[in-house]
Amino acid sequence: MSAVLVRSGLSAPPGWSEPRPVVELAGALGVPSLVVAGLWLSSPLLVVTGPLVVLLIVVEGRRRRRWRADLARAESLPGVADHLIQQLRSGSSLARACRSLETSPAAAATKPLTDALHRGATLAEASRTLGTGADPSVRLLATTLRLWAATGGPARPALRRLRHTLVGRAHRRRRAQAQAASALSSAGLLVVAPALFAVILAGTEPELARFYLHRPVGAVCATGSVIL
């Protein structure tokens, strides 16, 4: 996929069929470990708030992984258009060109389409398997394929226009990500700062540390802060 994206003028995104991250394994082990440690130390904070923090980290990790998968899928779509145009230039029909996508660098982005074609579905039927996704770029590709499968005619001009549109959408995603980076960093700091402040105070005031670690009211305060 990287070579196709270089030709498309895009940087290679992270792989969107990546393995399950270590943070989920750590979360599965961390929750029971925190509960056991909290019971052993008689700390309501570890029993209640600790697992909540771990679960929130795991949920955020999954959300980020889904976002990276959507971004990588969208950035691979110009490569799909390039592959189809090359196959049409070599004399293939549109259906055969779509079937050959399983050997292209962007095969993962169109796997539902190629799987449906190999099961004997027509191109119009197979393109509907792509149109069920939430990504507008994927739906645009599916609509283009379904339209040309139904109407016929030369597909290369439409695919070239589609490629330019997909490249523009991918660039806009990257630009929006860069513009939002500063705001997201500030928001993250606002979230982390109270917790760091509480840890510093607890380290300098033993009574405050006992309040948070060993008293139910302290655990309730900390849990409420985490939820907020």
Side-chain angles (χ1 to χ4, degrees), residues 29-106:
L29 298 176
V31 170
S33 301
L34 285 171
V35 172
V36 171
L39 293 174
W40 182 57
L41 296 173
S42 300
S43 174
L45 180 72
L46 292 179
V47 174
V48 178
T49 312
L52 176 62
V53 171
V54 172
L55 290 175
L56 290 175
I57 291 173
V58 171
V59 169
E60 176 64 12
R62 289 177 177 176
R63 186 194 68 81
R64 288 174 180 268
R65 195 170 78 247
R66 286 195 301 269
W67 180 84
R68 287 195 300 268
D70 291 341
L71 179 62
R73 185 182 297 110
E75 292 195 346
S76 70
L77 292 179
V80 173
D82 283 339
H83 180 85
L84 293 177
I85 292 171
Q86 291 172 1
Q87 292 297 313
L88 292 174
R89 284 175 178 169
S90 65
S92 297
S93 64
L94 183 58
R96 185 180 300 175
C98 290
R99 197 174 290 113
S100 69
L101 283 168
E102 64 180 356
T103 60
S104 72

Side-chain angles (χ1 to χ4, degrees), residues 6 11 23 31 49 66 71 118 132 150-151 158 168 175 177 185 190 195 204 218:
V6 169
S11 59
V23 68
V31 170
T49 312
R66 286 195 301 269
L71 179 62
H118 282 296
T132 58
T151 61
R175 187 165 59 249
Q177 179 189 7
S185 299
L190 290 175
T204 57

